């Protein structure tokens, strides 16, 4: 039976049922062969690993990539050319070109280091340490400020609070600038002391002269870190006394009694530590003297000085009760 096509102007032949079945069967076989060829091409591209630079035409983007074969998988995915293995960022495991995640483990994050020092303490002890540091910092700032005001020229602050500054500085922290004088000290001054002791049997005896400056010198000699007491305590106490007393050993100014008490306390404590009183003995009085010797001039100098020592003896001082324990000031 012929059919008429009005558009072409020619009759069209109508297919019989047998011919239609043969055409549908042939179309189905052709589609199956095309799908098989597509799968074969995808497998071949995964094995060869060709890259786009070699002239391969990549197919549509796969939804996931298997690292072992490089084959794409996913619903509705079709590859028409070789697929190159993309680079992977080690730190994240992400493929930059596709945004996919590679199948390998990520590195473990570094473990935090254990805390040390103040950070290792509990919060309560941290607060205590912070308060202690704050107190020390305030004390240091106050001391530095007092010393600065003591050595600074007279100003409004020193005029208003000069008494408080002197009470903080004297006698332990007094400053001396003789090292920077036009004519520095060129003498060796040794402070010596002897004592009158009441023995355990009720008698009395007088000791020989103890050279306290020589004791400090032996303690400093060969010591890489000598103490401030060994270097300066006795020397500064003697300078303090001579600056507040005249040649007749009379006090000059209001600090004369303070300097005498300070010097006496130092020598009594040293006599007690050295065992000058003996077993059962008590130091009742002390006497000090200074031995001054000029420093030998250098060989290139024609200066002539006497090398004979000069002594200055102070009167006997009574030792009050409690002075050995440091109670006297």
């Amino acid at each position: 039976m012929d059919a008429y096509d009005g558009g072409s102007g020619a009759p069209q032949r109508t297919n019989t049922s047998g011919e239609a079945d043969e055409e549908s069967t042939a179309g189905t076989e052709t589609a199956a062969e095309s799908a098989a060829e597509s799968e074969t091409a995808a497998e071949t591209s995964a094995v060869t690993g060709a890259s786009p630079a070699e002239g391969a035409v990549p197919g549509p983007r796969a939804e996931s990539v298997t690292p072992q074969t490089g084959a794409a998988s996913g619903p509705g995915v079709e590859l028409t050319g070789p697929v190159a293995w993309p680079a992977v960022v080690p730190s994240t495991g992400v493929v930059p070109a596709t945004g996919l995640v590679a199948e390998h483990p990520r590195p473990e994050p570094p473990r935090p280091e254990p805390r040390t020092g103040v950070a290792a303490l509990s919060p309560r002890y941290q607060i205590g340490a912070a308060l202690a540091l704050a107190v020390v910092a305030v004390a240091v700032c106050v001391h530095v400020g007092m010393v600065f005001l003591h050595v600074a020229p007279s100003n409004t602050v020193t005029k208003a609070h000069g008494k408080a500054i002197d009470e903080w500085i004297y006698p332990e922290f007094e400053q001396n600038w003789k090292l920077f004088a036009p004519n520095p000290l060129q003498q060796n001054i040794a402070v010596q002391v002897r004592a009158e002791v009441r023995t355990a049997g009720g008698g009395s005896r007088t000791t020989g002269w103890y050279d306290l400056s020589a004791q400090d010198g032996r303690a400093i000699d060969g010591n890489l870190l000598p103490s401030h007491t060994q270097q300066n305590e006795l020397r500064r106490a003697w300078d303090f006394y001579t600056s507040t007393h005249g040649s007749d050993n009379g006090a000059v100014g209001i600090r004369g009694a303070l300097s005498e008490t300070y010097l006496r306390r130092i020598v009594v404590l040293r006599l007690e530590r050295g065992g000058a009183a003996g077993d059962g003995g008590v130091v009742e009085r002390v006497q000090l003297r200074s031995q001054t010797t000029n420093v030998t001039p250098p060989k290139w100098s024609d200066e002539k000085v006497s090398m004979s020592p000069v002594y200055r003896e102070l009167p006997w001082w009574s030792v009050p009760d409690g002075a050995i324990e440091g109670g006297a000031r």
Side-chain angles (χ1 to χ4, degrees):
M1 178 178 181
D2 295 334
Y4 178 80
D5 184 5
S8 61
Q12 299 293 330
R13 180 176 176 270
T14 303
N15 293 334
T16 63
S17 61
E19 291 176 350
D21 294 338
E22 290 179 358
E23 289 178 359
S24 62
T25 302
T28 303
E29 292 176 355
T30 303
E33 290 176 357
S34 299
E37 289 177 359
S38 300
E39 292 177 358
T40 303
E43 293 176 356
T44 303
S45 65
V47 175
T48 58
S51 62
E54 298 174 352
V57 179
R61 175 180 293 180
E63 294 185 1
S64 63
V65 179
T66 304
Q68 290 79 4
T69 63
S73 62
V77 176
E78 182 180 14
L79 297 177
T80 60
V83 177
W85 184 260
V88 179
V89 180
S91 61
T92 61
V94 177
V95 182
T98 63
L100 305 178
V101 179
E103 298 179 0
H104 65 80
R106 295 185 180 181
E108 296 183 0
R111 296 181 179 179
E113 297 182 357
R115 296 183 178 181
T116 58
V118 179
L121 300 176
S122 62
R124 181 177 61 180
Y125 287 102
Q126 288 182 359
I127 294 174
L131 292 177
L133 291 175
V135 171
V136 172
V138 171
V140 171
C141 292
V142 171
H143 178 71
V144 172
M146 288 293 189
V147 173
F148 172 77
L149 293 174
H150 172 67
V151 300
S154 179
N155 52 69
T156 305
V157 178
T158 56
K159 291 178 180 179
H161 306 284
K163 184 177 180 180
I165 296 172
D166 291 342
E167 290 178 353
W168 181 278
I169 294 297
Y170 294 109
E172 284 83 359
F173 305 119
E174 182 188 6
Q175 303 299 307
N176 184 283
W177 301 103
K178 291 183 179 179
L179 178 63
F180 304 99
N183 186 20
L185 291 174
Q186 299 179 0
Q187 297 173 329
N188 290 324
I189 301 175
V191 179
Q192 301 172 353
V193 62
R194 63 179 179 178
E196 186 177 289
V197 180
R198 185 178 72 249
T199 62
S204 179
R205 65 180 179 88
T206 302
T207 66
W209 290 100
Y210 293 91
D211 195 334
L212 304 181
S213 297
Q215 294 176 5
D216 287 347
R218 288 192 295 269
I220 295 172
D221 189 19
N223 189 351
L224 297 178
L225 298 173
S227 68
H228 179 76
T229 301
Q230 294 168 341
Q231 297 179 80
N232 299 317
E233 182 185 50
L234 182 63
R235 180 181 61 85
R236 297 296 300 120
W238 181 258
D239 289 344
F240 185 26
Y241 177 84
T242 56
S243 64
T244 56
H245 288 75
S247 58
D248 60 348
N249 298 320
V252 178
I254 60 176
R255 294 187 296 160
L258 176 62
S259 63
E260 179 180 330
T261 303
Y262 180 52
L263 182 59
R264 181 184 60 199
R265 181 177 60 182
I266 292 175
V267 299
V268 169
L269 289 174
R270 294 201 178 189
L271 288 172
E272 178 64 19
R273 293 169 186 168
D279 295 338
V282 178
V283 176
E284 291 187 331
R285 297 197 305 168
V286 295
Q287 184 182 26
L288 285 86
R289 73 176 184 182
S290 63
Q291 176 183 316
T292 304
T293 306
N294 292 320
V295 177
T296 304
K299 295 180 180 180
W300 47 264
S301 175
D302 54 359
E303 183 180 1
K304 303 297 182 182
V305 296
S306 174
M307 300 305 299
S308 300
V310 177
Y311 294 93
R312 175 183 178 179
E313 290 189 0
L314 306 185
W316 285 92
W317 293 340
S318 298
V319 179
D321 295 338
I324 294 179
E325 290 78 13
R329 290 190 56 86

